[in-house]
Amino acid sequence: MLNFIFESDFHEMLETLFPPPPAEGAIAPPVLSEVRRASRFRRAFPGRAADRARCRFVRVPGGAPAVPWETRRMPQPRLLLVITGDDFGYCSRRNQGIVDCFLAGGISNVSLLVNGSAAKEAADLAKRHEIPIGLHANLSEGTPVCHILQKSSSLTDHRGFFHGKMGFRQSLERGQLCMKQVEMELRAQVKRFVELTGHLPNHMDGHQHVHVLPEVRDVFAQVMSDHRIRFTRVPVEPGLHSCQWLPEHLHTFYAQVEKDALDSMAVFRQNGIRWPDVYLGLTTMGQNMSVPHLQRALRLALAAGQMGEPSSGACVTAELMVHPGYPSHPQEGGCGEGPDDFSQSLERQHELSVLSDPSMAALLSQEKVQLCAFKDL
């Protein structure tokens, strides 16, 4: 149910967000940043995060503070969009960037790496800011959560680390991975998620798309079904093959991800697992993220979703995968073996800037896109 703000509440909100000036001679309180004002607004007016995410903070001429101008649902949206910030828990800087992006209205959902070095901090931040959170199951980077597998496992190399994005796939192709150990690790990660957050994940997907790989997808679906986790990610993106700015090696890798994802649909469906009508994010990652590219993606999502039978009646649903944040410092963070180049890249901050920019909010409004979280679908 939406929160309606009555006049008395509105004045209380203004006093909460913007305290009156101090009496003469008194020490003035520190000025709150827009992000902190947004956080204070959340605490003052609790409710569904998806409803609060619809608030837009606008700055009036003359540098006056930003104030929320809308708390209602968008009338007749064409697209319900989950924007998921992946890799929450990777390090403190990534965590802070993801939180700032959420508070600025740039994302509506996060996905937690429970073996990340800052996973507990991330879970605490999600609780504090009421950020909808799911599990980013990790079988390819860092160290296992399952204590038994930390000693010896087909999932790890001689140093005790997972085999990596491509190494995991190569080991799978060679038949070197034990699916029972995959199951043990996935169940351990779900358990750790519950320990950190106090609840089951709203959704569960795989770091570096490992959850759609052959054999792994069957185990993944069974674990999700056993825990009654309803939603996952199926990375099949409209417009991928016609995208002109992706280099050949990424086209090749993404084409294989897409094939694996298509093959995983029947397995997920048999286990009662759902996913949004459309997936986005491969063509708009890192330096390729821009408002024009996002507009292209959203329009392709609408066209693709309307060709089928939308899962939410007349409204198409979609997930946009993003990786915002402040770049990791060398030797700080990661999942057990330090931060990788991806997390240290300035592209993480570029994504944060694009998603938080007012032009992004304008685009969503123009295209009649309503932000939501998996738990709202």
Side-chain angles (χ1 to χ4, degrees), residues 165-236:
K165 180 171 76 172
M166 301 311 297
F168 183 88
R169 287 166 165 82
Q170 291 164 0
S171 296
L172 179 65
E173 289 176 3
R174 296 171 186 149
Q176 296 172 342
L177 300 183
C178 172
M179 289 301 113
K180 180 60 180 176
Q181 293 179 348
V182 168
E183 179 182 355
M184 290 170 62
E185 179 60 20
L186 290 177
R187 292 188 185 279
Q189 291 193 20
V190 173
K191 181 181 178 183
R192 174 69 62 83
F193 182 97
V194 174
E195 291 170 350
L196 290 171
T197 67
H199 61 81
L200 284 166
N202 295 318
H203 65 99
M204 181 173 167
D205 57 44
H207 185 48
Q208 299 170 339
H209 309 294
V210 298
H211 66 298
V212 296
L213 290 170
E215 298 184 73
V216 177
R217 55 182 168 240
D218 298 273
V219 178
F220 196 90
Q222 185 61 57
V223 171
M224 285 189 66
S225 178
D226 289 349
H227 289 89
R228 298 184 179 180
I229 302 169
R230 296 187 305 148
F231 283 97
T232 192
R233 170 184 293 168
V234 177
V236 178

Side-chain angles (χ1 to χ4, degrees), residues 76-329:
Q76 298 181 327
R78 295 193 299 163
L79 179 69
L80 293 177
L81 179 65
V82 180
I83 304 183
T84 302
D86 278 2
D87 302 343
F88 202 36
Y90 196 86
C91 70
S92 292
R93 285 177 58 79
R94 292 289 300 281
N95 285 352
Q96 190 57 58
I98 288 171
V99 169
D100 286 352
C101 196
F102 175 78
L103 295 178
I107 59 174
S108 58
N109 199 80
V110 295
S111 206
L112 178 67
L113 286 165
V114 295
N115 72 333
S117 65
K120 185 181 185 307
E121 176 193 74
D124 291 343
L125 286 168
K127 291 176 187 176
R128 183 186 313 165
H129 299 291
E130 299 179 36
I131 305 175
I133 187 169
L135 174 59
H136 203 41
N138 185 3
L139 300 173
S140 56
E141 182 179 356
T143 55
V145 169
C146 179
H147 294 297
I148 296 174
L149 302 182
Q150 289 173 359
K151 300 174 183 177
S152 177
S153 165
S154 68
L155 306 183
T156 58
D157 60 19
H158 67 281
R159 302 171 301 161
F161 296 132
F162 287 132
H163 296 298
K165 180 171 76 172
M166 301 311 297
F168 183 88
R169 287 166 165 82
Q170 291 164 0
S171 296
L172 179 65
E173 289 176 3
R174 296 171 186 149
Q176 296 172 342
L177 300 183
C178 172
M179 289 301 113
K180 180 60 180 176
Q181 293 179 348
V182 168
E183 179 182 355
M184 290 170 62
E185 179 60 20
L186 290 177
R187 292 188 185 279
Q189 291 193 20
V190 173
K191 181 181 178 183
R192 174 69 62 83
F193 182 97
V194 174
E195 291 170 350
L196 290 171
T197 67
H199 61 81
L200 284 166
N202 295 318
H203 65 99
M204 181 173 167
D205 57 44
H207 185 48
Q208 299 170 339
H209 309 294
V210 298
H211 66 298
V212 296
L213 290 170
E215 298 184 73
V216 177
R217 55 182 168 240
D218 298 273
V219 178
F220 196 90
Q222 185 61 57
V223 171
M224 285 189 66
S225 178
D226 289 349
H227 289 89
R228 298 184 179 180
I229 302 169
R230 296 187 305 148
F231 283 97
T232 192
R233 170 184 293 168
V234 177
V236 178
E237 180 167 352
L240 174 64
H241 299 283
S242 61
C243 181
Q244 300 295 315
W245 52 81
L246 290 177
E248 185 177 353
H249 74 280
L250 284 182
H251 262 298
T252 301
F253 178 70
Y254 292 158
Q256 185 59 52
V257 168
E258 180 182 73
K259 180 183 182 302
D260 292 332
L262 289 168
D263 291 342
S264 72
M265 287 181 176
V267 176
F268 292 149
R269 196 175 287 116
Q270 288 167 7
N271 284 273
I273 297 166
R274 300 165 56 193
W275 56 92
D277 300 318
V278 184
Y279 164 85
L280 304 169
L282 298 178
T283 63
T284 54
M285 194 184 306
Q287 64 180 356
N288 294 321
M289 181 177 285
S290 66
V291 171
H293 286 179
L294 287 166
Q295 183 176 47
R296 170 187 181 270
L298 291 174
R299 290 181 175 178
L300 287 169
L302 280 165
Q306 289 168 351
M307 288 176 63
E309 184 175 338
S311 58
S312 293
C315 196
V316 177
T317 62
E319 182 195 12
L320 171 62
M321 174 193 73
V322 297
H323 301 83
Y326 301 112
S328 301
H329 288 315

Side-chain angles (χ1 to χ4, degrees), residues 312-355:
S312 293
C315 196
V316 177
T317 62
E319 182 195 12
L320 171 62
M321 174 193 73
V322 297
H323 301 83
Y326 301 112
S328 301
H329 288 315
Q331 310 304 319
E332 292 182 14
C335 298
E337 51 186 329
D340 60 9
D341 292 341
F342 182 89
S343 191
Q344 295 180 68
S345 171
L346 290 174
E347 293 186 358
R348 306 287 69 76
Q349 191 156 350
H350 171 73
E351 289 196 25
L352 170 60
S353 298
V354 172
L355 292 166

